[in-house]
Structure formats: structure tokens, C-alpha cells
Amino acid sequence: MQHQQSKQQPPRAFRQLKSWLQEHNSTLPKRLQSVAAYAVSHPDMIALNTIAVISEQIGVTPSTIFRFAKSLGYKGFSDMQSIFQESMRHISQPYAERIHSLDRQMSQKATAFQRFAIAANRAIEKLSQTETQLLLQASHKLADANIVYIAGQDRAAPVSVYLHYMLVKMGMQAVILEGTPSMLVDKAKLISASEMLLAISFSPYSVNTRELVDVCIEQQVSVISITDSTLSPIARRDAICLEIIEHEVAGFRGLSATMCLAQCLAVEAGKCRANMNSQ
Amino acid sequence: MQHQQSKQQPPRAFRQLKSWLQEHNSTLPKRLQSVAAYAVSHPDMIALNTIAVISEQIGVTPSTIFRFAKSLGYKGFSDMQSIFQESMRHISQPYAERIHSLDRQMSQKATAFQRFAIAANRAIEKLSQTETQLLLQASHKLADANIVYIAGQDRAAPVSVYLHYMLVKMGMQAVILEGTPSMLVDKAKLISASEMLLAISFSPYSVNTRELVDVCIEQQVSVISITDSTLSPIARRDAICLEIIEHEVAGFRGLSATMCLAQCLAVEAGKCRANMNSQ
DNA sequence: TTGGTTTTGAAATATACATTCCATAAAAAA
DNA sequence: TTTTTTATGGAATGTATATTTCAAAACCAA
């Protein structure tokens, strides 16, 4: 039998579709997973483009995208696309204009520089629309912890460094986890329940960070993860997961929005901590 | 002769299109006016639907809509539709929520989170208006150097880490200067003329970084400094100085704009380097 | 390995859609 | 009014796009 097509009616609202994908994506074939990841983070592309250009963007064949829609239970691509489109309807125009204020400058001769600025702005704009609730929850958790262990390598390293700096400034004990992979795991095993792990990882996800998250969750240690997709291996149901989508320019993703999130997270945590101490 | 088709290029941005329509709609034939009115008030419909359903909504025939597009100077309906679609791109997800968040932004009741986002956006916006020339100069200098030594502590540390990561990724040898203050000075003295120093420092300026800049300039070693004011001690006449103004929220400055600058700097340098190698 | 199964890519087909064309209606000029 | 020009609707056409099909590749269990 082919990959089981979900027999139930497919989600008719984007929100449901998104969470369905987060749940089941690990059971999907490889290519379908790529499509899922892309669809969740670039819904506007799915809504506005043809199968051909989307497939090229993702780097899969058009058939794959069609099968993706089918495997979710939709009648076909167009059927699925209509869900994405529905989620864009009734947009208030003034807001759209505001977002594109920079675009006008770009129309003719955008300097390379401006392109980066635009991408960063977009990412932040998108970020600011996410649930504030989640962020506050995360802040509280950080404030509650006796020690915050921070893990993040490669492109995530600057975020670790910044969060470490900020948390300490805000009066919280924070430690950056460093060392050889095996040592890291050993360190993680020593984290107690009153402490917590703050994991940062972006695609391509480093195995190290993932392992740390595994260890902590297994030990009932609280985890907050910052990542670029809720499909990321460090996004778990047991952890608070803050998602950030940085746009790509010239093949590279920035960190502007991520830094904004980090700053906010640290400052909010600091406030919580201050309240706790004064009581 | 048919109704005059505007000979000039049609508007390529929705905003322009909108005001053009408001200007000239009285000179349009009756049916075309209906279409114009509908288009400005329901741009999402135009973006997301086929000629057939739009025409039914307005109560005109499909041909009319096609002619409308033509009369504005577009190649056809699809061409015009792409303008409408462009105005919706990168705007995603829960629109209900989105609009609420907009309202909150407008009505001063912004969540802490949104305040950070706005501040970051402003900073980037301002940044994107600065001289590109300087940035390109800096990129070239980076590309020319055999080794780039990076110095930056405290709040500047994440920037160091990021630039280090990016430069190495782009194929340039880069080293982060670490160690005790006296050791740092010794290391700096060993930097040769074919190499360079990239110094990052924000108020309150660390004495360390300042000293490094002093040593290098004395030895005729090229210096690029990234700082938050041209009055900063690491801004020198002999050095290329990139200035960044991050806005303050709740007493803290972020790093979003700085990261954007860093990304751009590294990528541009990478391009230069690639050109050099290919020749 | 081998045989069976699932997944994938590429070409073939069908469908939906924009576009064109023409005949007719309305409006403007004579 | 008649004549000419402009605007409109409806059917015919061609093109772009989704969908189907099928064979090859990858995967897995025995």
C-alpha cells in the first residue's frame, strides 16, 4: 500500500493544517517532509504560486507537491491551495502597505544593503505577530529557573552568547554549554529539575543540540527551544518552542529577528525575576 | 479609437495603482469604473480569484475585467493580478490575529514584544539609509586581508561570534581575539600589515577594545570599527567606521540592526573574495 | 543478496483559465 | 434622423496549469 492517506477529512483551516503537519510530519516520506516544512514556513508562497514555481523553490518535482496534497486528503493541489489562500483573505490594506514601505525604495536600484534590511524587517514584522503568550510563558520559566543552561552552535552561537550576556545582566545565573559532544551530554545529565535548558538551533540542525534536548526532556528538565521551524528536531511537545523565520538573502539567513526575540525574552524574564524578588 | 490605453508603463506597485485609479477613474467607461472601485476596495479578491468569479462578484462580464487591465496598460489580467498578489506576499497567517496586533500597535497598547519589534525595525530602517559606499569599502578591505582579527566584548560579543562564523563560511581566515587584557595587546602587536582588525564596541566602551585599536593604528594595520557613535573611542580618522544606532527599549539596546549590518558586510566581503579568486 | 513495497521523477493528458474575436448595443457626432 | 465611434457581452481559441499515469529508483524485510 502507498503511504497512508489520512482517511479523515483534511483540515479546512490553515491553523489546523499547520498543527497537523507538526504532529505527523515525522511519519511522512522524505520529500513530503520537505514540502511540509516549506509549506508551514512559507504559506504565502503556496497561496500565490503555481505548482511549478513552488516545486522549484523547494527543490522537488511537481508531482511530489501534488502527492503531498493528496496524502493529506485533499482533492488535489488546488484544493489544498485554497486553504492557504483563505488564510490570506480580508487582509487590511493599510497594513500591507506599511510592510512594503521599504519595497518602494527597492523598486529600481536597491543596494545590496537595502535588500538585507528589507529581509530583516520582514522577519521582525512576521515575528511580532506571533503569540505573545508563548513568549511570556517562556520568560516566566526562565525567571523561575535557578540556573539557565544555554546550548547553541554555529549560526546559533551568537544567540547563545547574547542570551548569556543578557540573562546575567538581568540577574539570572546562566551558563553556556561548551565542550566535546560526549562531555556535553554528561553535563546535561547533571542538570537538575530546578534548572533548565535553553536550546537554540537552526537548519541544518546540529546533532549535539538535539541530543541535549533529548537528555533533558527524558529527565523532566524544562526546555525552551528557539528554532526556525516547528518541524525542527528540537521542537518538542514537552518544550516551549519559539519559532523564527529569517528570510534568505544571497543564500544566507540573518539573525536580526532572532536577536530581537532574544532581547525581548531576556528583558521579560528579568522583569519577572524582579517581581519575584521584591515580594 | 477605443478608450485610450495609458501609454506609459502601468504602475508596478499596488500603492501607485491605487492612487492612479482614484485620480483617473472618472474618465473611465462606466463598467470599467465599477471594476476600478471594486479593485481598490477588495484587492484580496483580485489577487486570489479567477477572472470568472471576480466578474461575477462585480456583476460584469469577464471580458470587461480583461479590458480593464489592458486599459491600464497591463499585458493582460494575469499581469495586473501579479501586482495585487505582490502586495500580499510575505503577509501570512492568522489574519484575525494579525489585524488585532496591528490595532494594538497603533493604539499604544503595544505588548512589550511589539515594542521591541518596532524598535528593531526602526533601527534597521535608519541603517538602510546610510551610505552604502562605506560598507562596500569595508567589504573590500575585509576581502583583501589575509587574516581578519575580530575584537568585541560584552554586548558586542555576539557580533564577534557571528562575524567570525560568517567570514569563515565565506572563505576568509578569521580569528576572534580572546584572553587577558595584557595578552590581547601582545597578540595585537603581532598583527601584520597584510592582515587587519575588525573592532566592535558599544557604549559603555570597553577599554580593552580601545587599546587594540590604538595598537593597530600605530602599526599601520587597517582597522574597521563597528560602533554606536562617531564619538566612540574606537572611531578614528584612520579607520573605516560603521555607525549603528539601536533604539532603546526598557533601558536596553538590541542587536537586530547590528546583525543585519554584520550579515551584509560578511556577504559582500565574500563576494569580493570570490571575484578575486576567479581572476 | 532477492523479491516485494514504497517512493520518486518525467512525460502524457485533461482541465481550467485567460485571451481573442466578432457581432451587437449604446453613445456621440453629423 | 443617419452615420460614425466607442463600449459591451458571449462564444471560440489557445495557453498555462493541475492531474494522471507509468516506469525507474530507493527502501526494506526475509
Side-chain angles (χ1 to χ4, degrees), chain B residues 1 3 31 61 63-64 67:
Chain B
M1 191 177 88
H3 173 261
R31 297 299 157 99
T61 154
S63 335
T64 305
R67 270 194 296 269

Side-chain angles (χ1 to χ4, degrees), chain B:
Chain B
M1 191 177 88
Q2 298 285 98
H3 173 261
Q4 56 159 347
Q5 301 181 198
S6 55
K7 295 290 153 64
Q8 16 266 45
Q9 293 300 335
R12 283 283 140 200
F14 179 76
R15 199 201 175 80
Q16 299 160 32
L17 173 56
K18 191 174 178 181
S19 45
W20 192 95
L21 286 176
Q22 282 157 355
E23 280 278 323
H24 300 80
N25 93 316
S26 53
T27 75
L28 261 52
K30 202 163 40 173
R31 297 299 157 99
L32 280 316
Q33 284 187 25
S34 323
V35 180
Y38 185 86
V40 294
S41 52
H42 304 280
D44 54 305
M45 286 290 167
I46 309 285
L48 259 25
N49 288 104
T50 72
I51 270 200
V53 340
I54 298 169
S55 66
E56 201 196 9
Q57 282 292 320
I58 308 186
V60 301
T61 154
S63 335
T64 305
I65 296 200
F66 180 83
R67 270 194 296 269
F68 173 75
K70 265 299 185 67
S71 78
L72 291 170
Y74 293 101
K75 233 182 120 188
F77 170 75
S78 306
D79 186 26
M80 181 185 78
Q81 190 182 43
S82 70
I83 305 301
F84 286 79
Q85 292 183 336
E86 202 50 48
S87 83
M88 304 192 76
R89 284 209 135 87
H90 304 299
I91 307 178
S92 44
Q93 287 8 276
Y95 277 102
E97 283 172 32
R98 194 121 220 275
I99 289 163
H100 285 163
S101 76
L102 168 62
D103 289 346
R104 266 176 274 146
Q105 281 179 24
M106 294 313 187
S107 66
Q108 310 297 1
K109 281 191 266 174
T111 65
F113 195 15
Q114 286 162 338
R115 257 187 268 270
F116 285 101
I118 291 168
N121 258 334
R122 295 267 161 76
I124 291 174
E125 213 134 352
K126 182 167 259 169
L127 178 67
S128 72
Q129 287 160 10
T130 66
E131 252 334 306
T132 310
Q133 206 48 44
L134 211 56
L135 188 111
L136 292 179
Q137 243 180 284
S139 310
H140 275 98
K141 218 159 204 170
L142 282 174
D144 285 338
N146 283 336
I147 303 180
V148 179
Y149 291 92
I150 306 175
Q153 301 180 323
D154 301 328
R155 194 163 75 87
V159 188
S160 300
V161 173
Y162 183 55
L163 277 167
H164 175 244
Y165 170 80
M166 285 293 281
L167 288 177
V168 171
K169 276 265 176 209
M170 312 284 326
M172 282 166 279
Q173 182 62 284
V175 178
I176 292 186
L177 288 172
E178 289 168 317
T180 63
S182 71
M183 192 158 160
L184 278 179
V185 173
D186 289 341
K187 279 190 187 173
K189 283 185 180 155
L190 296 174
I191 300 178
S192 79
S194 67
E195 301 161 356
M196 68 165 307
L197 177 72
L198 177 50
I200 307 130
S201 180
F202 304 111
S203 163
Y205 312 102
S206 82
V207 195
N208 278 342
T209 309
R210 186 219 169 108
E211 264 186 333
L212 293 183
V213 172
D214 285 341
V215 170
C216 285
I217 285 185
E218 206 171 313
Q219 296 183 288
Q220 317 280 336
V221 171
S222 292
V223 174
I224 295 177
S225 56
I226 298 178
T227 185
D228 56 1
S229 153
T230 42
L231 300 178
S232 144
I234 70 163
R236 302 302 190 72
R237 212 173 306 115
D238 326 273
I240 295 181
C241 175
L242 301 171
E243 187 188 2
I244 284 182
I245 300 162
E246 295 270 4
H247 293 241
E248 197 172 89
V249 182
F252 292 89
R253 290 179 204 285
L255 280 179
S256 295
T258 311
M259 283 306 190
C260 182
L261 175 75
Q263 184 193 12
C264 187
L265 194 62
V267 171
E268 286 298 319
K271 275 195 212 159
C272 293
R273 174 59 71 103
N275 288 339
M276 287 163 53
N277 288 344
S278 66
Q279 280 164 11

Side-chain angles (χ1 to χ4, degrees), chain A:
Chain A
M1 192 175 89
Q2 298 286 98
H3 174 261
Q4 56 164 344
Q5 303 180 195
S6 54
K7 296 286 153 65
Q8 15 266 44
Q9 293 301 333
R12 295 259 56 113
F14 179 77
R15 187 184 263 293
Q16 299 160 33
L17 173 56
K18 190 174 178 181
S19 45
W20 192 95
L21 286 178
Q22 286 162 198
E23 281 280 326
H24 299 80
N25 104 94
S26 52
T27 76
L28 260 49
K30 199 163 44 168
R31 295 300 156 98
L32 279 315
Q33 283 188 24
S34 321
V35 179
Y38 186 85
V40 171
S41 51
H42 303 280
D44 54 307
M45 285 291 170
I46 309 285
L48 259 24
N49 287 306
T50 71
I51 271 202
V53 340
I54 298 168
S55 66
E56 201 197 10
Q57 282 291 319
I58 308 186
V60 301
T61 150
S63 332
T64 304
I65 295 200
F66 180 83
R67 269 193 298 268
F68 174 75
K70 265 302 187 64
S71 79
L72 260 44
Y74 293 102
K75 231 183 117 190
F77 171 75
S78 307
D79 187 25
M80 181 185 78
Q81 189 181 42
S82 70
I83 304 302
F84 285 78
Q85 293 182 336
E86 204 50 48
S87 82
M88 302 192 78
R89 289 200 130 92
H90 307 308
I91 168 72
S92 77
Q93 200 50 43
Y95 193 46
E97 282 173 26
R98 199 174 107 62
I99 287 183
H100 287 79
S101 61
L102 265 175
D103 283 14
R104 266 169 273 140
Q105 296 172 12
M106 180 164 163
S107 56
Q108 304 258 338
K109 34 180 174 175
T111 65
F113 196 14
Q114 284 166 337
R115 259 184 261 274
F116 285 99
I118 290 166
N121 255 332
R122 290 248 176 87
I124 290 175
E125 200 90 30
K126 182 170 243 166
L127 177 68
S128 72
Q129 111 209 358
T130 64
E131 249 342 302
T132 309
Q133 206 47 44
L134 211 58
L135 187 109
L136 292 179
Q137 241 180 287
S139 309
H140 276 98
K141 219 160 203 170
L142 282 175
D144 285 338
N146 284 336
I147 304 181
V148 179
Y149 291 90
I150 306 175
Q153 300 179 325
D154 301 328
R155 194 162 77 86
V159 188
S160 301
V161 173
Y162 183 55
L163 278 168
H164 175 245
Y165 169 81
M166 285 294 280
L167 288 176
V168 171
K169 277 267 175 205
M170 311 285 324
M172 282 166 281
Q173 184 61 286
V175 178
I176 292 187
L177 287 172
E178 290 168 314
T180 64
S182 71
M183 192 157 163
L184 278 179
V185 172
D186 289 341
K187 280 190 187 174
K189 283 184 180 153
L190 295 175
I191 300 178
S192 80
S194 66
E195 302 162 353
M196 67 165 307
L197 176 72
L198 177 49
I200 308 130
S201 180
F202 304 112
S203 164
Y205 312 101
S206 82
V207 193
N208 279 342
T209 310
R210 187 220 169 106
E211 264 187 333
L212 293 183
V213 173
D214 285 341
V215 170
C216 286
I217 286 184
E218 205 172 315
Q219 295 183 289
Q220 317 278 338
V221 171
S222 292
V223 173
I224 295 176
S225 56
I226 299 177
T227 184
D228 57 1
S229 157
T230 42
L231 300 179
S232 141
I234 69 163
R236 302 302 192 69
R237 212 172 307 111
D238 324 274
I240 296 183
C241 175
L242 301 171
E243 185 189 4
I244 284 183
I245 298 161
E246 295 272 4
H247 293 244
E248 199 172 87
V249 182
F252 291 89
R253 290 178 203 288
L255 280 179
S256 296
T258 312
M259 283 305 191
C260 181
L261 175 75
Q263 183 193 11
C264 185
L265 193 62
V267 172
E268 287 297 319
K271 275 195 212 161
C272 294
R273 175 58 71 101
N275 288 340
M276 286 162 56
N277 287 343
S278 68
Q279 280 164 14

